[in-house]
DNA sequence: GATGAATGAGCGTTCATTCAT
DNA sequence: AATGAATGAACGCTCATTCAT
């Protein structure tokens, strides 16, 4: 990726944070370390106190950036989905065939993540593992409707919608493009999880990736007719 | 369902509980009330203290039955999957055609739950909602591998495997029966959740159910060939 | 006071406490020490943490008895007013003349407190000083109406009403018996405070007590006519 | 009140503030907004952080004016009592009869407050409510003697003394002029409070005001003899 | 077997304040 | 003079758990 993009930013709903963590060094360290720590110890065990200690800063400073750890998780996962969307858009832009666009999109959304050097304080590989293991906790709450109204999940929704639109374009007769889109995006996380912890429940493994599975599915739907 | 089955029990891995809640009145009240309360307030907010208060019993008594609330969730969800498996087995037994068996299985696993009068201290409708909203939290933990080894998720695994086998029988050429099976079971929960909270991300609604969506998918796979 | 009364208790609205502090040794130590500490450091500086440390007990144990320190203050002051009411009732019982009853009541309510040996874990002298310095903080809150509805101030109200009734009996023509009653009870606290901290603002001192001042006032009102 | 008085100022002990809030626009906004906010949320809940946010200024700026919120309360209440004294002086100046002066003074000190247009950044009605609900908290502290020595309560003391002198002039035989003065000034606040929150403990209401009650009392004392 | 009492540990949060700009 | 960023310290509170009965 060329240096023209060096200054790109993933845009996050500003209600998720109190103060933009990108706006200061401390903010970036909060984000950077929180990824390492949540990956390390899991979201439940992770606390602002521990984070503060890790970055050599009082926990109260962290509250200047995020109201609570739930909001921080929303920030991290929003960033992740925004980053995915960005890749999806960039990499499908030049493709002329809808089917190619769709296949590229599915590939991006289901493949194992590799490091992106454009964002130096974010470890995308670890972040993707956090998303696999923690994302659902960000919406499986009693406050989901309220937070949804605040737009906390809008990037994710936009991404699901993009994929849905691609499916629909490729096969306008298919009756469940939205469900399929959400199944792929959420299902990809799930297959990655199963691969690591319940290998008997998935066909994905070292040689067969979730991408193979979902690509196969997409091809079936693409070619199906009423 | 006839009275012969009146005494049927869902068999739960005995390591999940300290003392079988089915073995006493207090145990049953613990299970019964915990379902109401977790549904009401969500798993995070739910505590043994509150449960104790609700059933008019000291919280320490609950520890006689479950080590902690995580184990209680494992118990409830195991019960749910065991109950599902039971229905799946019973209702596919008499079907001779593999395809019919598969379709029946998918129907059971994806449909909206209705009350089952065979188990009077368990509200299956509420429990199914808990499963939708909380099940993933039971395995998205740092202890998952260890608990998996203890067999805490074996009923669920057996269920996924049953569905996988049905898929394989119907279409031995299909390369991803396990992934598809897990996608359907977990995806059904997800579609139910989306229907309630993110209607834009699913095609399921009051008239189109997750069952329609997954049945359509199954039919596609069943008829696909290499 | 004879031993027949040895087992007397001041009855406190049970919503003020979680668990009756009179019901256990720990509870009594909480009450006892809190009086010493609030007197020592003032209510603002006083915390459950410090109290816990002082009684060699974790602060969490204190929460078993009182929801928060505000409730504890309500308890202490309710106890005080209940104790005052008890003395007022006992000591006016045998008096036949309304005027004598009234004078006795005013005397009790305005005099400097001395130790009462009937309640061994409560230092009435210190408690009365706490009431002087902290009682108004218990009702000068945004929650006063709500707490009043819960009956948290009912003992105090009953006491004011008793005095009002005595005033009314002595002089049925006097138009402000309630205001006078509340002025005496609250004003007595205020005069005690001024005596200690703003001697220029009161005529009360080592030789002239608030009792003299209010008794004089009462006599004026008793003898006034329309 | 004519425009000649337009520039009048209430003189406050300069130790109460770090920088005179009257000396700048920010200072005036601090005073203005703090009155609104303390009235709105109560003194306990009110913080410099919230005040800073409300006036669109960093909380650290407020520290340029007031050391802490306690000092700000002292400032506001001092202003109130200074303003009361000013009215008392002005309005009794032209009266020749001591008894008339006393009655006018009591009337001013006990009546319901109405807006004074001479001070545009201070809402006297709200401020008087703050005084009713918060004034006692400004002196019911462990630091009262020390702060008293610093003269933080001198305006209030001067006011009590003025009323005391009027009482003494009217009835030189009355033995408790200081106590009566402090009782009236503090008691007026109390009766206003009771009227709003404990109507059963006062005879004051929509038609009978604290002024009636205290005026009646004053008349009794004025006419009493040894 | 069930309960009541008590606890240790720690979480999330806020406050008042300071320092550098 | 005013502000922005950051912080140390502490608070209120709750949780999961244990122990003695």
């Amino acid at each position: 990726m060329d240096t023209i993009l060096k200054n790109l930013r993933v845009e996050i709903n500003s209600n998720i944070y109190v103060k933009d963590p990108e706006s200061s060094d401390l903010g970036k360290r909060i984000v950077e370390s929180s990824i390492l720590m949540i990956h390390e110890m899991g979201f439940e065990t992770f606390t602002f106190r521990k984070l503060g200690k890790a970055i050599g800063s009082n926990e109260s400073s962290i509250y200047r950036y995020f109201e609570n750890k739930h909001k921080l998780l929303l920030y991290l996962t929003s960033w992740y989905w925004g980053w995915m969307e960005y890749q999806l858009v960039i990499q499908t832009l030049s493709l002329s065939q809808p089917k190619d666009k769709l296949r590229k999109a599915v590939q991006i959304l289901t493949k194992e993540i590799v490091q992106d050097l454009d964002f130096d304080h974010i470890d995308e590989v670890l972040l993707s593992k956090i998303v696999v293991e923690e994302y659902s906790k960000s919406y499986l709450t009693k406050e989901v409707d309220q937070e949804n109204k605040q737009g906390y999940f809008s990037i994710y929704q936009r991404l699901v919608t993009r994929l849905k639109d691609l499916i629909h374009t490729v096969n306008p007769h298919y009756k469940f493009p939205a469900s399929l889109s959400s199944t792929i995006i959420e299902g990809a996380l799930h297959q990655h999880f199963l691969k690591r912890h319940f290998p008997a429940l998935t066909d994905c493994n070292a040689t067969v990736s979730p991408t193979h599975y979902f690509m196969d599915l997409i091809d079936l739907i693409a070619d199906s007719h009423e």
Side-chain angles (χ1 to χ4, degrees), chain A:
Chain A
M1 220 164 275
D2 63 69
T3 51
I4 285 169
L5 292 167
K6 226 8 187 176
N7 290 322
L8 68 94
R9 279 173 44 84
V10 174
E11 205 63 41
I12 310 280
N13 181 330
S14 68
N15 293 321
I16 289 180
Y17 50 77
V18 180
K19 175 181 156 80
D20 185 356
E22 297 282 334
S23 71
S24 79
D25 182 57
L26 177 62
K28 284 177 189 160
R29 269 157 51 222
I30 288 172
V31 168
E32 184 176 15
S33 290
S34 67
I35 292 173
L36 297 173
M37 292 180 78
I38 294 174
H39 174 257
E40 194 75 34
M41 58 180 63
F43 186 65
E44 280 71 31
T45 318
F46 167 79
T47 69
F48 275 7
R49 190 153 298 181
K50 290 172 187 164
L51 175 57
K53 211 161 201 175
I55 62 176
S57 193
N58 190 280
E59 65 193 307
S60 62
S61 307
I62 301 165
Y63 282 88
R64 291 269 163 178
Y65 291 86
F66 296 102
E67 255 177 77
N68 49 51
K69 70 174 182 170
H70 171 66
K71 286 282 179 75
L72 171 53
L73 180 59
L74 285 175
Y75 179 87
L76 295 178
T77 54
S78 289
W79 194 96
Y80 177 81
W81 295 118
W83 175 68
M84 289 298 261
E85 185 190 30
Y86 167 77
Q87 289 178 84
L88 189 154
V89 170
I90 292 293
Q91 296 187 46
T92 57
L93 210 58
S94 56
L95 302 175
S96 52
Q97 293 298 315
K99 178 107 192 248
D100 290 344
K101 276 181 194 281
L102 176 57
R103 290 178 57 92
K104 173 54 83 179
V106 170
Q107 189 228 315
I108 289 168
L109 292 165
T110 61
K111 73 159 194 276
E112 195 88 36
I113 298 306
V114 289
Q115 202 64 41
D116 179 338
L117 298 172
D118 285 335
F119 305 90
D120 56 355
H121 65 293
I122 296 194
D123 184 324
E124 290 82 7
V125 176
L126 291 191
L127 181 52
S128 73
K129 289 185 175 167
I130 289 177
V131 169
V132 165
E133 280 168 27
E134 319 289 0
Y135 181 53
S136 70
K137 296 172 193 167
S138 77
Y139 59 78
L140 293 176
T141 69
K142 287 290 161 192
E143 296 76 33
V144 60
D145 293 332
Q146 186 179 318
E147 296 192 338
N148 193 17
K149 260 181 215 147
Q150 303 275 319
Y152 293 176
F153 305 101
S154 54
I155 300 182
Y156 181 71
Q157 298 215 57
R158 214 165 55 211
L159 187 63
V160 174
T161 306
R162 278 187 195 277
L163 183 62
K164 181 196 80 179
D165 292 343
L166 290 174
I167 295 169
H168 181 71
T169 306
V170 166
N171 184 346
H173 299 299
Y174 182 59
K175 285 185 296 190
F176 309 99
S179 288
L180 182 62
S181 172
S182 52
T183 298
I184 289 170
I185 292 176
E186 150 61 25
L189 301 182
H190 193 55
Q191 293 299 314
H192 279 294
F193 182 81
L194 294 179
K195 209 174 81 179
R196 278 173 220 149
H197 301 289
F198 293 86
L201 306 190
T202 177
D203 302 290
C204 303
N205 51 47
T207 56
V208 180
S209 83
T211 304
H212 291 110
Y213 161 53
F214 286 108
M215 209 64 101
D216 178 85
L217 208 60
I218 274 293
D219 287 342
L220 269 177
I221 269 96
D223 304 334
S224 77
H225 19 246
E226 185 48 353

